[in-house]
Amino acid sequence: ATYYWLIKLTVTDAAGLSSIDSSKIFPDCNAGPDLTPPIVSSVLPMNGATGINKGTTVAAIFNEAIDTSTVTSSTFQLKDAGNNIVPGAIQILSNQITLTPSGILTGSTVYTAIIKGGLSGIKDSAGNALLNDYSWSFTTAVIDNTAPGIRSVSPLSGAVGVSTATAIIANFSEA
């Protein structure tokens, strides 16, 4: 059977003259089921990124909505350089999954995020599985073990007769 929408339009101008027109719109009623697996479109932090804040979250964006019941701590993981799973909370919003680590990450460390594919992995809302595991890595910022020091001050310590309008300036060894 052929289905269509019939739209009829009657237009009347200020003088009362009318015109009638119609149009048929044929929707695609034979699209069939969604058999296309989801694809990871982008990730945060980017693969290979360095100097990443130790309080970062990890996220993946897919090309379509994801079945929330398939996103678990087994199918979306963050691992440290020793291959230990970093505990965290997972949030899902349509086509985006985000992992927020439970604590601050260790500095100067390579972390790898892994999304499980295949039959036991993440699926889209039509039940199609991500074809293969997907992973990416990033490195957290360098650990700063040096306390900041004062390089200079103005006015100098012990200065006498300094105006109350004088700006007080201190320069530190690091930001």
Side-chain angles (χ1 to χ4, degrees):
T2 301
Y3 298 94
Y4 62 89
W5 293 310
L6 178 61
I7 299 175
K8 290 186 179 184
L9 180 65
T10 302
V11 178
T12 305
D13 66 13
L17 300 172
S18 296
S19 177
I20 299 174
D21 199 358
S22 65
S23 179
K24 290 181 181 177
I25 299 174
F26 296 87
D28 184 3
C29 296
N30 298 313
D34 174 4
L35 300 176
T36 305
I39 297 170
V40 176
S41 303
S42 61
V43 295
L44 293 171
M46 290 175 35
N47 187 35
T50 59
I52 299 302
N53 185 304
K54 296 179 285 184
T56 192
T57 59
V58 178
I61 299 171
F62 294 84
N63 65 328
E64 60 182 316
I66 297 302
D67 178 354
T68 58
S69 70
T70 65
V71 183
T72 67
S73 59
S74 297
T75 60
F76 185 30
Q77 298 177 336
L78 180 63
K79 293 186 177 184
D80 64 17
N83 208 32
N84 301 301
I85 295 173
V86 176
I90 297 173
Q91 296 173 316
I92 306 118
L93 181 62
S94 183
N95 67 330
Q96 179 174 325
I97 59 176
T98 304
L99 187 146
T100 303
S102 298
I104 300 297
L105 301 177
T106 304
S108 303
T109 302
V110 175
Y111 286 89
T112 302
I114 303 154
I115 300 171
K116 181 88 172 135
L119 293 177
S120 61
I122 289 181
K123 296 177 176 66
D124 65 16
S125 54
N128 302 306
L130 182 68
L131 290 179
N132 299 301
D133 290 358
Y134 187 94
S135 66
W136 72 101
S137 298
F138 61 92
T139 305
T140 50
V142 174
I143 298 173
D144 181 1
N145 291 321
T146 305
I150 298 174
R151 286 193 176 157
S152 63
V153 295
S154 176
L156 294 174
S157 178
V160 180
V162 178
S163 167
T164 56
T166 301
I168 298 172
I169 301 169
N171 291 307
F172 295 93
S173 61
E174 59 183 72

